[in-house]
Structures are given as C-alpha cells and as structure tokens.
C-alpha cells in the first residue's frame, strides 16, 4: 500500500517530523511505500504528493487552518485517517464556532479519527460531540526493536514510564 503521512505544521517542527518519520519506518518495515510531508510541501505540491497514494494519514495539532480544507478536498476518494496530537493549545489560534464547523465537516469525511491520549480525546469530544462516538485513542509509541540494547539493563526496584513531552498546564 502507498501511504502519505502529512501534517499542516512545518515539517521541521520536531514533534510532527519525528512522529511521521518513525511511523514511516514502521510502515516501510511492513512492506508499505510511505512518503511524509509538512505544510510547505502541502502548499506547493499537494496534487503531486497524492499521485498514486492509496491512503492519507493526517497528523494535526487541532487548530483549524484553511490548508486543512485543501487537504480534505484533495484526498477525496481516498481513505483519510486524522490523528490529533493536540487540541486547544493556547499557543495556537483557538477553534471558534466556524472552526468547529470546519472540523466537523473534515472529520465527517475521515475514514478514522484518533487522538494520542484519553484526556485529549475527551477535550475534543467536548468541543466536537458529533465525532465522539467515532474517535479512538491510539497512543504514540515506538517498537522496542527500534532501540536495540547494547548492554543488559539493571533490575529496577520500581517500574516507571518515561514521557518526554512539554510541560504545559492544559495537558
């Protein structure tokens, strides 16, 4: 299958670049052909990026921008998965009533809608109740095989989970 992983964010924004590149590697290991793209690619070359693509996976920060309409319209006829990495980030434009209507239209055309955490999905569902039943949580993560161990880990007294992320009050 030929997949296009894209975001409306600049591709040099590390969260999205690393997420898309890691997913691309995992999909490629499973035999898929994968391309990745960010905002500049989408603005300049969306039709050519979509040539021969079987499915599109859009990763978004959940702040409506007009480029999202272009993406949805261009993807017409192809499966579209929308993954929310964020929602109501105070550093981004807030989603007013018009933006929420745009999101509802976009998500109504999506084959699947995911959020990267339960809390995030709950925030999105409060703002966009019509998608709450369709959306699912799919956590970001990587396979252990991506990080081969060179030495044997020492046993720990207590289990822990490492979560590298920005410390932000709204999260």
């Amino acid at each position: 299958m030929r997949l296009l992983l894209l975001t409306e964010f600049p591709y040099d924004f590390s969260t999205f670049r690393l997420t898309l590149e890691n997913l691309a590697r995992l999909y490629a290991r499973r035999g898929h052909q994968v391309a990745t793209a960010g905002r500049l690619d989408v603005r300049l070359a969306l039709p050519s990026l979509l040539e021969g693509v079987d499915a599109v996976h859009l990763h978004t920060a959940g702040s409506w921008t007009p480029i999202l309409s272009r993406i949805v319209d261009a993807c017409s006829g192809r499966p579209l998965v929308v993954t929310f990495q964020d929602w109501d980030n105070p550093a981004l434009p807030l989603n007013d009533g018009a933006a929420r209507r745009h999101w509802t239209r976009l998500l109504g055309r999506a084959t699947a809608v995911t959020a990267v955490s339960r809390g995030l999905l709950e925030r999105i569902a409060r703002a966009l109740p019509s998608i709450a039943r369709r959306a699912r949580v799919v956590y970001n993560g990587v396979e252990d095989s991506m990080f081969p161990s060179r030495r044997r880990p020492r046993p720990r007294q207590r289990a822990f989970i490492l979560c590298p992320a920005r410390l932000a009050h709204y999260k």
Side-chain angles (χ1 to χ4, degrees), residues 25-155:
R25 276 194 294 276
L26 293 172
Y27 285 137
R29 284 185 193 157
R30 289 175 172 83
H32 300 289
Q33 296 174 9
V34 187
T36 60
R39 180 188 307 171
L40 185 59
D41 303 314
V42 170
R43 284 192 174 153
L44 297 177
L46 186 57
S48 61
L49 287 170
L50 289 168
E51 286 179 18
V53 168
D54 298 310
V56 176
H57 190 173
L58 169 66
H59 288 256
T60 180
S63 180
W64 183 261
T65 62
I67 200 164
L68 291 165
S69 289
R70 284 187 56 207
I71 291 169
V72 173
D73 292 341
C75 292
S76 182
R78 291 178 183 85
L80 171 66
V81 175
V82 178
T83 294
F84 285 92
Q85 299 284 341
D86 206 346
W87 181 266
D88 283 342
N89 181 327
L92 299 173
L94 293 178
N95 289 305
D96 59 11
R100 287 192 299 274
R101 286 188 295 279
H102 286 298
W103 276 118
T104 299
R105 176 182 162 266
L106 181 153
L107 298 172
R109 294 174 69 180
T111 305
V113 178
T114 67
V116 299
S117 74
R118 174 86 37 222
L120 176 57
L121 181 57
E122 289 169 2
R123 289 197 323 265
I124 296 165
R126 280 193 297 276
L128 305 170
S130 64
I131 66 106
R133 292 178 307 281
R134 297 185 52 224
R136 300 288 179 259
V137 174
V138 177
Y139 300 102
N140 280 336
V142 294
E143 292 183 351
D144 289 340
S145 62
M146 291 179 69
F147 300 100
S149 178
R150 293 203 168 106
R151 60 184 184 158
R152 197 176 181 115
R154 291 184 289 168

